[in-house]
Coordinates of all heavy atoms in Angstrom, one line a residue:
M115 N -9.8 54.5 -81.3 CA -10.2 55.9 -81.7 C -11.5 55.9 -82.7 O -11.6 55.0 -83.4 CB -9.0 56.6 -82.4 CG -8.8 57.9 -82.0 SD -7.4 58.7 -82.7 CE -8.0 59.4 -84.3
A116 N -12.2 57.0 -82.6 CA -13.4 57.0 -83.3 C -13.0 57.3 -84.9 O -12.1 57.9 -85.2 CB -14.2 58.2 -82.9
E117 N -13.8 56.5 -85.7 CA -13.6 56.6 -87.1 C -14.7 57.5 -87.7 O -15.8 57.1 -87.6 CB -13.5 55.2 -87.7 CG -12.9 55.3 -89.1 CD -13.0 54.0 -89.8 OE1 -13.3 52.9 -89.1 OE2 -12.9 54.0 -91.0
F118 N -14.3 58.6 -88.2 CA -15.3 59.6 -88.7 C -15.5 59.3 -90.2 O -14.5 59.0 -90.9 CB -14.8 61.0 -88.7 CG -14.8 61.5 -87.3 CD1 -13.8 61.4 -86.4 CD2 -16.0 62.2 -86.8 CE1 -13.9 61.9 -85.1 CE2 -16.1 62.7 -85.6 CZ -15.0 62.5 -84.6
K119 N -16.9 59.2 -90.5 CA -17.2 59.0 -91.9 C -18.0 60.1 -92.5 O -18.9 60.7 -91.6 CB -18.1 57.7 -92.1 CG -17.3 56.4 -91.5 CD -16.8 55.7 -92.7 CE -16.0 54.5 -92.3 NZ -16.7 53.4 -91.9
K120 N -18.0 60.4 -93.6 CA -18.8 61.5 -94.3 C -20.2 61.2 -94.2 O -20.7 60.1 -94.7 CB -18.3 61.8 -95.7 CG -19.1 62.9 -96.3 CD -18.6 63.2 -97.7 CE -19.5 64.3 -98.3 NZ -19.0 64.7 -99.8
A121 N -21.0 62.1 -93.6 CA -22.5 61.8 -93.5 C -23.3 62.7 -94.3 O -24.4 62.4 -94.8 CB -22.9 62.0 -92.1
A122 N -22.8 63.9 -94.6 CA -23.5 64.9 -95.4 C -22.5 66.1 -95.7 O -21.4 66.0 -95.4 CB -24.6 65.5 -94.5
T123 N -23.0 67.1 -96.6 CA -22.3 68.2 -96.7 C -23.0 69.4 -96.0 O -24.2 69.3 -95.7 CB -22.2 68.6 -98.2 OG1 -23.4 68.7 -98.8 CG2 -21.3 67.5 -99.0
K124 N -22.2 70.4 -95.6 CA -22.8 71.4 -94.7 C -23.9 72.1 -95.5 O -24.9 72.5 -94.8 CB -21.7 72.5 -94.5 CG -20.8 72.4 -93.3 CD -19.7 73.3 -93.2 CE -20.0 74.7 -93.0 NZ -18.8 75.4 -92.8
D125 N -23.8 72.3 -96.8 CA -24.9 73.0 -97.5 C -26.1 72.2 -97.6 O -27.2 72.7 -98.1 CB -24.4 73.7 -98.8 CG -23.7 72.6 -99.7 OD1 -23.9 71.4 -99.3 OD2 -22.9 73.0 -100.6
Q126 N -26.2 71.0 -97.3 CA -27.4 70.1 -97.3 C -28.3 70.5 -96.1 O -29.6 70.2 -96.3 CB -27.0 68.6 -97.1 CG -26.8 67.9 -98.4 CD -26.4 66.5 -98.1 OE1 -25.2 66.1 -98.1 NE2 -27.5 65.7 -97.9
L127 N -27.9 71.1 -95.1 CA -28.6 71.3 -94.0 C -28.4 72.6 -93.4 O -27.4 72.9 -92.7 CB -28.0 70.3 -92.8 CG -29.0 69.7 -91.9 CD1 -30.3 69.1 -92.5 CD2 -28.3 68.7 -90.9
A128 N -29.4 73.5 -93.5 CA -29.3 74.9 -93.0 C -29.6 74.9 -91.6 O -30.2 74.0 -91.0 CB -30.3 75.7 -93.8
P129 N -29.2 75.9 -90.7 CA -29.6 76.1 -89.5 C -31.1 75.9 -89.2 O -31.8 76.4 -89.9 CB -29.0 77.6 -89.1 CG -27.9 77.8 -90.0 CD -28.4 77.1 -91.3
G130 N -31.3 75.2 -88.1 CA -32.7 74.9 -87.8 C -33.3 73.7 -88.6 O -34.4 73.3 -88.3
E131 N -32.5 73.0 -89.4 CA -32.9 71.8 -90.1 C -32.4 70.6 -89.5 O -31.3 70.5 -88.9 CB -32.6 71.9 -91.6 CG -33.4 73.0 -92.3 CD -33.1 73.1 -93.8 OE1 -32.3 72.4 -94.3 OE2 -33.8 73.9 -94.5
C132 N -33.2 69.4 -89.9 CA -32.7 68.2 -89.6 C -33.0 67.2 -90.7 O -33.8 67.4 -91.5 CB -33.2 67.6 -88.3 SG -35.0 67.6 -88.2
T133 N -32.3 66.1 -90.8 CA -32.5 65.0 -91.7 C -32.0 63.7 -91.2 O -31.4 63.6 -90.2 CB -31.6 65.5 -93.0 OG1 -32.1 64.6 -94.1 CG2 -30.1 65.4 -92.8
T134 N -32.3 62.6 -91.9 CA -31.8 61.3 -91.7 C -30.7 61.0 -92.7 O -30.9 61.2 -93.9 CB -32.9 60.3 -91.7 OG1 -33.9 60.7 -90.8 CG2 -32.4 58.9 -91.3
V135 N -29.6 60.5 -92.2 CA -28.5 60.0 -93.1 C -28.2 58.6 -92.7 O -28.5 58.2 -91.6 CB -27.2 60.9 -93.0 CG1 -27.7 62.4 -93.5 CG2 -26.7 61.0 -91.6
E136 N -27.4 57.9 -93.7 CA -27.0 56.6 -93.3 C -25.5 56.6 -93.2 O -24.8 57.0 -94.1 CB -27.5 55.5 -94.3 CG -27.6 54.1 -93.9 CD -28.2 53.2 -94.7 OE1 -29.4 53.4 -95.0 OE2 -27.5 52.4 -95.3
V137 N -25.0 56.1 -92.1 CA -23.5 56.0 -92.0 C -23.3 54.5 -91.6 O -23.7 53.9 -90.5 CB -23.1 56.9 -90.8 CG1 -21.6 56.7 -90.6 CG2 -23.5 58.3 -91.0
D138 N -22.5 53.8 -92.5 CA -22.2 52.4 -92.3 C -23.5 51.6 -92.1 O -23.4 50.8 -91.1 CB -21.2 52.3 -91.2 CG -19.8 52.5 -91.7 OD1 -19.5 52.5 -92.9 OD2 -18.8 52.5 -90.8
G139 N -24.5 51.7 -92.7 CA -25.7 51.1 -92.5 C -26.6 51.5 -91.2 O -27.7 50.8 -91.1
T140 N -26.1 52.5 -90.6 CA -26.9 52.9 -89.4 C -27.6 54.2 -89.7 O -27.0 55.1 -90.2 CB -26.0 53.0 -88.1 OG1 -25.3 51.9 -87.8 CG2 -26.6 53.6 -87.0
A141 N -28.9 54.3 -89.4 CA -29.6 55.5 -89.6 C -29.3 56.4 -88.5 O -29.5 56.1 -87.3 CB -31.1 55.2 -89.6
V142 N -28.9 57.6 -88.9 CA -28.4 58.6 -88.0 C -29.3 60.0 -88.3 O -29.4 60.4 -89.4 CB -26.9 59.0 -88.3 CG1 -26.5 60.2 -87.5 CG2 -26.0 57.8 -87.9
A143 N -29.8 60.6 -87.1 CA -30.4 61.8 -87.3 C -29.3 63.0 -87.2 O -28.6 63.0 -86.1 CB -31.5 61.9 -86.2
L144 N -29.4 63.8 -88.1 CA -28.5 64.9 -88.1 C -29.0 66.3 -88.0 O -30.2 66.5 -88.7 CB -27.7 64.7 -89.4 CG -26.4 65.6 -89.6 CD1 -25.2 65.2 -88.6 CD2 -25.8 65.5 -91.0
F145 N -28.5 67.1 -87.2 CA -29.1 68.4 -86.9 C -28.2 69.6 -87.1 O -27.0 69.5 -86.7 CB -29.6 68.4 -85.4 CG -30.6 67.2 -85.1 CD1 -30.0 66.1 -84.6 CD2 -31.9 67.3 -85.2 CE1 -30.9 64.9 -84.3 CE2 -32.9 66.2 -85.0 CZ -32.3 65.1 -84.5
N146 N -28.7 70.7 -87.5 CA -27.9 71.9 -87.5 C -28.6 72.9 -86.6 O -29.7 73.4 -86.7 CB -28.0 72.5 -89.0 CG -27.1 73.7 -89.0 OD1 -26.9 74.4 -88.1 ND2 -26.7 74.1 -90.3
V147 N -27.9 73.1 -85.5 CA -28.4 74.0 -84.4 C -27.5 75.4 -84.4 O -26.4 75.3 -84.0 CB -28.3 73.4 -83.0 CG1 -28.9 74.4 -82.0 CG2 -29.2 72.1 -83.0
G148 N -28.1 76.2 -85.1 CA -27.4 77.6 -85.2 C -25.9 77.5 -85.8 O -25.0 78.1 -85.5
G149 N -25.8 76.5 -86.8 CA -24.5 76.3 -87.5 C -23.7 75.3 -86.8 O -22.6 75.0 -87.5
Q150 N -24.1 74.8 -85.7 CA -23.3 73.7 -85.1 C -24.1 72.3 -85.4 O -25.3 72.3 -85.3 CB -23.3 74.0 -83.6 CG -22.4 73.2 -82.8 CD -21.0 73.7 -82.9 OE1 -20.8 74.9 -83.1 NE2 -20.0 72.8 -82.6
F151 N -23.3 71.3 -85.9 CA -24.0 70.1 -86.2 C -23.9 69.1 -85.1 O -22.9 68.9 -84.4 CB -23.2 69.5 -87.4 CG -23.5 70.3 -88.6 CD1 -22.7 71.4 -89.0 CD2 -24.6 69.9 -89.5 CE1 -22.9 72.2 -90.1 CE2 -24.9 70.6 -90.6 CZ -24.1 71.7 -90.9
Y152 N -25.0 68.3 -84.9 CA -25.2 67.2 -83.9 C -25.8 66.0 -84.5 O -26.6 66.1 -85.5 CB -26.1 67.7 -82.7 CG -25.5 68.9 -82.0 CD1 -25.9 70.2 -82.4 CD2 -24.6 68.8 -81.0 CE1 -25.4 71.2 -81.7 CE2 -24.1 69.8 -80.3 CZ -24.5 71.1 -80.6 OH -24.0 72.2 -80.1
A153 N -25.4 64.9 -84.0 CA -25.9 63.5 -84.6 C -26.3 62.7 -83.4 O -25.6 62.6 -82.4 CB -24.8 63.0 -85.4
I154 N -27.5 62.2 -83.5 CA -27.9 61.1 -82.6 C -28.5 60.0 -83.4 O -28.7 60.2 -84.6 CB -29.0 61.7 -81.6 CG1 -30.2 62.2 -82.3 CG2 -28.4 62.8 -80.7 CD1 -31.3 62.6 -81.4
D155 N -28.8 58.8 -82.6 CA -29.5 57.7 -83.3 C -30.8 58.1 -83.8 O -31.5 58.9 -83.2 CB -29.4 56.6 -82.3 CG -29.9 55.2 -83.0 OD1 -31.1 55.0 -83.3 OD2 -29.0 54.5 -83.4
N156 N -31.1 57.7 -85.0 CA -32.4 58.1 -85.7 C -33.6 57.5 -85.0 O -34.8 58.0 -85.2 CB -32.4 57.6 -87.2 CG -33.4 58.3 -87.9 OD1 -33.6 59.5 -87.9 ND2 -34.2 57.6 -88.6
T157 N -33.4 56.4 -84.2 CA -34.6 55.7 -83.7 C -35.1 56.0 -82.4 O -34.4 55.8 -81.4 CB -34.1 54.2 -83.8 OG1 -33.7 53.8 -85.1 CG2 -35.4 53.3 -83.5
C158 N -36.3 56.6 -82.3 CA -36.8 57.1 -81.1 C -37.1 55.9 -80.2 O -37.5 54.7 -80.6 CB -38.3 57.7 -81.4 SG -39.1 58.1 -79.9
V159 N -36.7 56.0 -78.9 CA -36.7 54.7 -78.0 C -38.2 54.5 -77.6 O -38.5 53.4 -77.1 CB -35.9 54.9 -76.7 CG1 -34.5 54.9 -77.1 CG2 -36.4 56.2 -76.0
H160 N -39.2 55.3 -77.9 CA -40.6 55.1 -77.6 C -41.1 53.8 -78.5 O -41.3 52.8 -78.0 CB -41.4 56.3 -77.8 CG -42.8 56.1 -77.5 ND1 -43.9 56.6 -78.3 CD2 -43.5 55.3 -76.5 CE1 -45.0 56.2 -77.8 NE2 -44.9 55.4 -76.7
R161 N -41.2 54.2 -79.8 CA -41.7 53.1 -80.7 C -41.0 53.1 -82.0 O -41.4 52.6 -82.9 CB -43.2 53.3 -81.0 CG -44.1 53.2 -79.8 CD -44.6 51.8 -79.7 NE -45.5 51.6 -78.4 CZ -46.8 52.0 -78.5 NH1 -47.5 52.4 -79.5 NH2 -47.5 51.9 -77.3
G162 N -39.7 53.7 -82.0 CA -39.0 53.6 -83.2 C -39.2 54.7 -84.2 O -38.8 54.5 -85.4
G163 N -39.8 55.8 -83.9 CA -40.0 56.8 -84.9 C -38.7 57.5 -85.3 O -37.6 57.4 -84.7
P164 N -38.7 58.0 -86.6 CA -37.5 58.6 -87.2 C -37.2 59.9 -86.7 O -37.8 61.0 -87.3 CB -37.9 58.5 -88.7 CG -39.3 58.6 -88.7 CD -39.9 58.1 -87.5
L165 N -36.2 60.2 -85.9 CA -36.0 61.5 -85.2 C -35.6 62.5 -86.2 O -35.8 63.6 -86.1 CB -35.1 61.3 -84.0 CG -35.6 60.5 -82.9 CD1 -34.6 60.3 -81.9 CD2 -36.9 61.1 -82.4
G166 N -34.9 61.9 -87.2 CA -34.3 62.9 -88.2 C -35.4 63.5 -89.1 O -35.1 64.5 -89.9
E167 N -36.5 63.0 -89.0 CA -37.7 63.6 -89.7 C -38.6 64.4 -88.8 O -39.8 64.7 -89.1 CB -38.6 62.5 -90.4 CG -37.8 61.8 -91.5 CD -38.5 60.5 -92.0 OE1 -39.6 60.4 -91.8 OE2 -37.7 59.6 -92.4
G168 N -38.1 64.6 -87.5 CA -38.9 65.3 -86.6 C -38.7 66.9 -86.8 O -38.2 67.3 -87.8
E169 N -39.4 67.5 -85.8 CA -39.4 69.0 -85.8 C -38.3 69.5 -84.9 O -38.3 69.1 -83.7 CB -40.8 69.4 -85.3 CG -41.0 70.9 -85.5 CD -41.8 71.2 -86.8 OE1 -42.1 70.3 -87.5 OE2 -41.9 72.3 -87.0
L170 N -37.4 70.3 -85.4 CA -36.3 70.9 -84.6 C -36.6 72.3 -84.2 O -36.8 73.1 -85.0 CB -34.9 70.7 -85.4 CG -33.7 71.3 -84.6 CD1 -33.4 70.3 -83.6 CD2 -32.5 71.4 -85.6
E171 N -36.5 72.5 -82.9 CA -36.6 73.8 -82.3 C -35.5 74.1 -81.4 O -35.4 73.4 -80.4 CB -38.0 74.0 -81.7 CG -38.4 75.4 -81.5 CD -39.7 75.5 -80.8 OE1 -40.6 74.7 -80.9 OE2 -39.9 76.6 -80.3
D172 N -34.6 75.1 -81.7 CA -33.4 75.2 -81.1 C -32.6 74.0 -80.9 O -32.4 73.4 -81.9 CB -33.6 75.8 -79.6 CG -34.2 77.2 -79.7 OD1 -33.9 78.0 -80.6 OD2 -35.1 77.6 -78.9
N173 N -32.3 73.4 -79.7 CA -31.6 72.1 -79.6 C -32.6 70.9 -79.3 O -32.0 69.9 -78.8 CB -30.5 72.3 -78.5 CG -31.1 72.5 -77.2 OD1 -32.0 73.3 -77.1 ND2 -30.6 71.9 -76.1
V174 N -33.8 71.1 -79.4 CA -34.8 70.1 -79.2 C -35.5 69.6 -80.4 O -36.0 70.4 -81.1 CB -35.9 70.6 -78.1 CG1 -36.8 69.5 -77.8 CG2 -35.1 71.0 -76.9
V175 N -35.6 68.2 -80.6 CA -36.3 67.7 -81.7 C -37.5 66.9 -81.1 O -37.4 66.3 -80.0 CB -35.4 66.7 -82.4 CG1 -35.0 65.5 -81.7 CG2 -36.2 66.3 -83.8
T176 N -38.6 67.1 -81.9 CA -39.7 66.4 -81.5 C -40.0 65.3 -82.4 O -40.0 65.4 -83.6 CB -41.0 67.4 -81.4 OG1 -40.7 68.5 -80.6 CG2 -42.3 66.8 -81.1
C177 N -40.3 64.1 -81.8 CA -40.4 62.8 -82.6 C -41.7 63.0 -83.5 O -42.7 63.4 -82.9 CB -40.5 61.7 -81.8 SG -40.8 60.2 -82.7
P178 N -41.7 62.7 -84.7 CA -42.8 62.9 -85.6 C -44.0 61.9 -85.3 O -45.1 62.2 -85.7 CB -42.3 62.7 -87.1 CG -41.2 61.9 -87.0 CD -40.5 62.2 -85.5
W179 N -43.8 60.9 -84.5 CA -44.7 60.0 -84.3 C -45.7 60.3 -83.1 O -46.8 60.4 -83.3 CB -44.2 58.4 -84.3 CG -43.8 57.9 -85.6 CD1 -43.8 58.6 -86.7 CD2 -43.3 56.6 -85.8 NE1 -43.3 57.8 -87.7 CE2 -43.0 56.6 -87.2 CE3 -43.2 55.5 -85.0 CZ2 -42.6 55.4 -87.8 CZ3 -42.7 54.4 -85.6 CH2 -42.4 54.3 -87.0
H180 N -45.1 60.5 -81.9 CA -46.0 60.6 -80.7 C -45.5 61.9 -79.9 O -45.9 62.0 -78.9 CB -46.1 59.4 -79.9 CG -46.4 58.2 -80.6 ND1 -45.4 57.3 -80.9 CD2 -47.5 57.7 -81.3 CE1 -45.8 56.2 -81.7 NE2 -47.1 56.5 -81.8
G181 N -44.5 62.6 -80.5 CA -44.2 63.8 -79.8 C -43.2 63.7 -78.7 O -42.9 64.8 -77.9
W182 N -42.4 62.6 -78.5 CA -41.4 62.7 -77.5 C -40.3 63.6 -77.9 O -40.0 63.9 -79.1 CB -40.8 61.3 -77.3 CG -41.5 60.3 -76.4 CD1 -42.8 60.3 -76.3 CD2 -41.0 59.3 -75.6 NE1 -43.2 59.2 -75.4 CE2 -42.1 58.7 -75.0 CE3 -39.7 58.8 -75.4 CZ2 -41.9 57.7 -74.2 CZ3 -39.4 57.8 -74.6 CH2 -40.6 57.2 -73.8
R183 N -39.8 64.4 -77.0 CA -38.8 65.3 -77.2 C -37.4 65.0 -76.7 O -37.3 64.5 -75.6 CB -39.2 66.8 -76.7 CG -40.6 67.2 -77.3 CD -41.3 68.3 -76.5 NE -40.7 69.5 -76.9 CZ -40.3 70.4 -76.0 NH1 -40.5 70.2 -74.7 NH2 -39.7 71.6 -76.4
Y184 N -36.4 65.2 -77.5 CA -35.0 65.0 -77.2 C -34.1 66.3 -77.3 O -34.3 67.0 -78.3 CB -34.5 63.9 -78.1 CG -35.1 62.5 -78.0 CD1 -36.3 62.4 -78.8 CD2 -34.6 61.5 -77.2 CE1 -36.9 60.9 -78.7 CE2 -35.2 60.3 -77.2 CZ -36.4 60.1 -77.9 OH -36.9 58.8 -77.9
D185 N -33.2 66.3 -76.4 CA -32.0 67.4 -76.6 C -31.0 66.6 -77.6 O -30.5 65.6 -77.3 CB -31.5 67.5 -75.2 CG -30.3 68.6 -75.3 OD1 -29.8 68.9 -76.4 OD2 -30.0 69.2 -74.3
V186 N -31.0 67.3 -78.7 CA -30.0 66.7 -79.8 C -28.6 66.8 -79.3 O -27.7 66.2 -80.0 CB -30.3 67.3 -81.2 CG1 -31.8 67.3 -81.5 CG2 -29.9 68.8 -81.2
T187 N -28.2 67.6 -78.4 CA -26.8 67.8 -78.0 C -26.4 66.6 -77.0 O -25.3 66.5 -76.8 CB -26.5 69.2 -77.4 OG1 -27.3 69.2 -76.1 CG2 -27.0 70.2 -78.2
T188 N -27.3 65.9 -76.5 CA -27.1 64.7 -75.5 C -27.8 63.5 -75.9 O -27.3 62.5 -75.4 CB -27.6 65.2 -74.1 OG1 -29.0 65.4 -74.1 CG2 -26.9 66.5 -73.6
G189 N -28.8 63.6 -76.6 CA -29.7 62.4 -76.9 C -30.6 62.0 -75.9 O -31.3 61.0 -75.9
V190 N -30.7 62.8 -74.8 CA -31.5 62.6 -73.6 C -32.9 63.0 -73.9 O -33.2 64.2 -74.4 CB -31.0 63.2 -72.4 CG1 -32.0 62.9 -71.2 CG2 -29.6 62.7 -72.0
S191 N -34.0 62.3 -73.6 CA -35.3 62.6 -73.8 C -35.7 63.5 -72.7 O -35.3 63.5 -71.6 CB -36.2 61.2 -73.6 OG -37.5 61.7 -73.4
L192 N -36.6 64.5 -73.1 CA -37.0 65.6 -72.2 C -38.4 65.0 -71.6 O -38.9 65.6 -70.6 CB -37.3 66.9 -72.8 CG -36.2 67.5 -73.6 CD1 -36.6 68.8 -74.2 CD2 -34.9 67.6 -72.7
V193 N -38.9 64.0 -72.1 CA -40.2 63.4 -71.6 C -39.9 62.5 -70.5 O -40.6 62.4 -69.5 CB -41.0 62.6 -72.9 CG1 -42.2 62.0 -72.3 CG2 -41.3 63.7 -73.9
N194 N -38.9 61.7 -70.7 CA -38.5 60.7 -69.8 C -36.9 60.6 -69.6 O -36.3 60.2 -70.5 CB -39.0 59.2 -70.3 CG -38.6 58.1 -69.4 OD1 -37.8 58.3 -68.5 ND2 -39.1 56.9 -69.8
A195 N -36.4 61.2 -68.5 CA -35.0 61.3 -68.4 C -34.2 60.0 -68.4 O -33.0 60.0 -68.7 CB -34.7 62.2 -67.2
A196 N -34.9 58.9 -68.2 CA -34.2 57.7 -68.2 C -34.1 57.2 -69.6 O -33.3 56.2 -70.0 CB -35.0 56.6 -67.4
A197 N -34.7 57.8 -70.5 CA -34.8 57.3 -72.0 C -33.7 58.2 -72.7 O -33.7 59.4 -72.6 CB -36.1 57.5 -72.6
K198 N -33.0 57.5 -73.6 CA -31.8 58.3 -74.2 C -31.6 57.4 -75.5 O -31.5 56.2 -75.5 CB -30.7 58.1 -73.2 CG -29.4 58.8 -73.6 CD -28.4 58.6 -72.5 CE -27.2 59.5 -72.6 NZ -26.5 59.4 -73.8
V199 N -31.2 58.2 -76.5 CA -30.7 57.6 -77.6 C -29.1 57.9 -77.8 O -28.7 58.8 -77.1 CB -31.3 58.1 -79.0 CG1 -32.8 57.7 -79.1 CG2 -31.2 59.6 -79.2
A200 N -28.4 57.1 -78.6 CA -27.0 57.3 -78.6 C -26.7 58.6 -79.3 O -27.4 59.0 -80.3 CB -26.4 56.1 -79.6
K201 N -25.7 59.3 -78.8 CA -25.2 60.5 -79.4 C -23.9 60.2 -80.0 O -23.0 59.6 -79.5 CB -25.0 61.5 -78.2 CG -24.5 62.8 -78.6 CD -23.9 63.6 -77.4 CE -23.5 65.0 -77.9 NZ -22.4 65.0 -79.0
Y202 N -23.7 60.7 -81.2 CA -22.5 60.5 -82.0 C -21.7 61.8 -82.1 O -22.1 62.9 -82.2 CB -22.9 60.0 -83.4 CG -23.7 58.7 -83.3 CD1 -24.9 58.7 -84.0 CD2 -23.3 57.6 -82.7 CE1 -25.7 57.5 -84.0 CE2 -24.0 56.4 -82.7 CZ -25.3 56.5 -83.3 OH -26.1 55.3 -83.3
Q203 N -20.3 61.5 -82.2 CA -19.4 62.6 -82.3 C -19.5 63.2 -83.8 O -19.6 62.4 -84.7 CB -18.0 62.2 -82.2 CG -17.7 62.0 -80.7 CD -16.1 61.6 -80.7 OE1 -15.9 60.4 -80.6 NE2 -15.2 62.6 -80.6
V204 N -19.5 64.5 -83.9 CA -19.6 65.1 -85.2 C -18.4 66.1 -85.5 O -17.9 66.7 -84.5 CB -20.8 65.9 -85.4 CG1 -20.9 66.7 -86.7 CG2 -22.0 65.0 -85.2
K205 N -17.8 66.1 -86.7 CA -16.8 67.1 -87.0 C -17.1 67.7 -88.4 O -17.6 66.9 -89.3 CB -15.4 66.7 -86.6 CG -14.7 65.7 -87.6 CD -13.3 65.6 -87.1 CE -12.7 64.5 -88.1 NZ -11.4 64.1 -87.6
V206 N -16.6 68.9 -88.6 CA -16.8 69.5 -89.9 C -15.5 69.7 -90.4 O -14.5 70.2 -89.9 CB -17.7 70.8 -89.8 CG1 -17.7 71.5 -91.1 CG2 -19.0 70.6 -89.3
E207 N -15.3 69.2 -91.7 CA -14.0 69.4 -92.5 C -14.3 69.9 -93.9 O -15.0 69.3 -94.6 CB -13.3 68.0 -92.7 CG -12.4 67.6 -91.4 CD -11.7 66.3 -91.7 OE1 -11.7 65.8 -92.8 OE2 -11.1 65.8 -90.8
G208 N -13.9 71.2 -94.0 CA -14.3 71.9 -95.3 C -15.8 72.0 -95.3 O -16.5 72.5 -94.4
N209 N -16.3 71.5 -96.4 CA -17.8 71.4 -96.5 C -18.5 70.1 -96.1 O -19.6 69.8 -96.3 CB -18.2 71.6 -98.0 CG -19.7 72.0 -98.3 OD1 -20.2 72.8 -97.5 ND2 -20.4 71.5 -99.2
D210 N -17.6 69.2 -95.6 CA -18.2 67.8 -95.3 C -18.5 67.8 -93.7 O -17.7 68.3 -92.8 CB -17.1 66.8 -95.5 CG -16.9 66.6 -97.0 OD1 -17.8 67.0 -97.7 OD2 -15.9 66.1 -97.4
V211 N -19.6 67.1 -93.4 CA -20.0 66.9 -92.1 C -19.7 65.4 -91.9 O -20.2 64.5 -92.5 CB -21.5 67.1 -91.8 CG1 -21.9 66.9 -90.4 CG2 -21.8 68.6 -92.1
L212 N -18.8 65.1 -90.8 CA -18.4 63.7 -90.5 C -18.9 63.2 -89.2 O -19.0 64.0 -88.3 CB -16.9 63.6 -90.5 CG -16.1 64.3 -91.7 CD1 -14.6 64.2 -91.4 CD2 -16.4 63.6 -93.0
V213 N -19.3 62.0 -89.2 CA -19.9 61.4 -88.0 C -19.1 60.1 -87.6 O -18.7 59.4 -88.5 CB -21.4 61.1 -88.2 CG1 -22.0 60.2 -87.1 CG2 -22.2 62.3 -88.5
A214 N -18.9 59.9 -86.3 CA -18.2 58.8 -85.9 C -19.3 57.9 -85.1 O -19.9 58.5 -84.1 CB -17.0 59.1 -84.9
L215 N -19.4 56.7 -85.5 CA -20.4 55.8 -84.8 C -19.8 55.1 -83.6 O -19.3 54.1 -83.8 CB -21.0 54.8 -85.7 CG -21.8 55.3 -86.9 CD1 -22.3 54.0 -87.7 CD2 -23.0 56.1 -86.5
E216 N -19.9 55.7 -82.5 CA -19.6 54.9 -81.3 C -19.9 55.5 -80.0 O -20.3 56.8 -80.0 CB -18.1 54.5 -81.2 CG -17.1 55.6 -81.3 CD -15.7 55.1 -81.0 OE1 -15.3 54.1 -81.6 OE2 -15.0 55.7 -80.1
Ligands
LIG325 S1 -42.0 56.7 -81.6 FE1 -41.2 58.6 -81.1 S2 -42.6 59.4 -79.7 FE2 -43.5 57.5 -80.2

């Protein structure tokens, strides 16, 4: 069973914002899409850019390094459908945003 760990608090991330958090030593990109939280691996599969520092528009993040775009709800690249980063489960408990790495 997935083990959820606290990654952030809800008020750290307003709708339309993203950030990078560390969960058990793994860099995770966390997104707030209209009040719904999503988490994917922070490392862009192109050259390792930090996706949590990208530009979020609706459910799509643009990598800050060379512009690859990913659907944050699936982790799948919109540039290259074969390219994909891990997507993590997220749940909200009270003011805490929890992420399960698997
Ligand atoms: S590292 Fe992300 S687009 Fe190049």
Side-chain angles (χ1 to χ4, degrees):
M115 218 178 92
E117 194 183 343
F118 284 90
K119 300 269 173 74
K120 181 175 173 179
T123 55
K124 269 168 71 177
D125 49 20
Q126 269 178 265
L127 209 59
E131 289 185 353
C132 54
T133 191
T134 303
V135 294
E136 202 174 294
V137 180
D138 273 353
T140 298
V142 172
L144 191 65
F145 305 91
N146 182 337
V147 180
Q150 195 78 23
F151 289 87
Y152 297 94
I154 60 176
D155 194 273
N156 191 51
T157 307
C158 178
V159 292
H160 178 223
R161 296 269 176 83
L165 297 176
E167 293 168 30
E169 188 91 6
L170 180 64
E171 201 181 332
D172 297 325
N173 63 323
V174 174
V175 66
T176 302
C177 177
W179 285 8
H180 318 97
W182 278 33
R183 301 167 76 226
Y184 295 83
D185 183 336
V186 305
T187 68
T188 61
V190 177
S191 164
L192 303 184
V193 175
N194 174 356
K198 181 176 193 306
V199 294
K201 176 192 182 307
Y202 303 122
Q203 284 181 267
V204 178
K205 72 178 177 184
V206 173
E207 272 180 11
N209 194 41
D210 293 340
V211 181
L212 310 176
V213 172
L215 293 184
E216 58 171 48

